[in-house]
Amino acid sequence: PDSCRKEPIIGLAIQIAAARGDGDRSRELFEAAIRIPRIAADTASFCDDLLALVDGALTAGIAPAEIRERLIDASLVDHPSFGGVIHPIHGLLALASGRNDIAAGELSAALERPDERISRPWLGSLRTALATALLALDDRAGALAAVTEALESYLARWPGVRRDRAEALARRLRGASGRTDGELSTREREVAALLAEGLTNGQLAERLFISPKTAAVH
């Protein structure tokens, strides 16, 4: 609700608005998040809350440079708990900027000794992000290992968009799209099913880890 001006509420709300393709609402919520007075003391949920906020903003299409400048550098970089998420945040922003080598390095560092306050579902999502960066760097074996660990160790009991993203990437890495059924390939049938759910080309691209142009071709 609009009356709840806290990071976890706004982070979730941005993700929902982005999933619905409501860019105006996503932008409105991002601006609201920037205006929230920062919590001075450590909180148990700070790491998860900030990851949700950044991920939601990226999903909504807000530029990584703007997120870094207006949200991170302006008000969060000096937060006492920011050290726990410095590598994951830098990794997610680098990945969204196409700097895959930096993303892989930051995310690997984050997952080598993760902050204990980062929840298991978020650790699974970060491993999926690492797998995406490794795939972009042509390290298919490393990418498959990362996304398999995400699915088997962290997201097995967490259905929803996190596991959907990981499973879509795992299918791509395992070559599931090579089979055909009638006149449609496996990937084309997957796209058709998502279209039936009302997803746009941009949302398809994000879900399947492909470009919007490729999504449109499918």
Side-chain angles (χ1 to χ4, degrees):
D2 289 345
S3 59
C4 298
R5 297 305 190 189
K6 293 184 180 293
E7 284 88 338
I9 297 295
I10 288 195
L12 177 60
I14 291 176
Q15 290 175 317
I16 292 172
R20 291 174 173 169
D22 190 346
D24 291 342
R25 180 60 174 160
S26 298
R27 167 58 66 175
E28 177 187 344
L29 289 164
F30 179 70
E31 296 295 334
I34 291 173
R35 295 193 299 269
I36 298 174
R38 301 274 69 87
I39 302 171
D42 287 336
T43 60
S45 64
F46 175 83
C47 293
D48 279 8
D49 295 345
L50 182 53
L51 287 168
L53 190 52
V54 170
D55 183 67
L58 290 171
T59 302
I62 296 172
E66 182 178 359
I67 296 171
R68 183 185 301 277
E69 178 182 352
R70 300 187 64 205
L71 180 66
I72 304 301
D73 293 346
S75 56
L76 287 173
V77 73
D78 293 326
H79 191 286
S81 291
F82 186 70
V85 284
I86 185 171
H87 290 301
I89 295 299
H90 288 170
L92 292 175
L93 293 176
L95 182 62
S97 301
R99 296 179 296 168
N100 298 301
D101 53 340
I102 295 175
E106 293 285 357
L107 292 167
S108 294
L111 293 167
E112 184 177 356
R113 292 184 178 180
D115 190 289
E116 62 183 11
R117 292 166 296 183
I118 300 177
S119 66
R120 291 185 67 81
W122 267 113
L123 291 175
S125 291
L126 293 173
R127 277 176 168 76
T128 302
L130 173 60
T132 303
L134 292 174
L135 177 58
L137 295 170
D138 293 325
D139 182 359
R140 295 183 67 88
L144 183 57
V147 77
T148 299
E149 184 177 6
L151 286 167
E152 295 181 355
S153 300
Y154 294 91
L155 300 176
R157 298 183 180 181
W158 290 88
V161 68
R162 299 176 192 276
R163 200 165 73 195
D164 288 348
R165 290 174 177 174
E167 287 176 344
L169 181 56
R171 285 194 298 271
R172 177 181 175 185
L173 288 163
R174 290 166 181 157
S177 61
R179 300 190 306 271
T180 59
D181 181 16
E183 295 184 0
L184 296 180
S185 69
T186 300
R187 172 49 58 87
E188 288 165 345
R189 285 186 285 114
E190 187 176 22
V191 167
L194 293 173
L195 284 172
E197 295 178 14
L199 272 67
T200 65
N201 281 348
Q203 292 166 337
L204 282 170
E206 180 191 4
R207 182 77 66 88
L208 300 177
F209 299 94
I210 57 179
S211 71
K213 182 177 180 180
T214 301
V217 170
H218 283 309

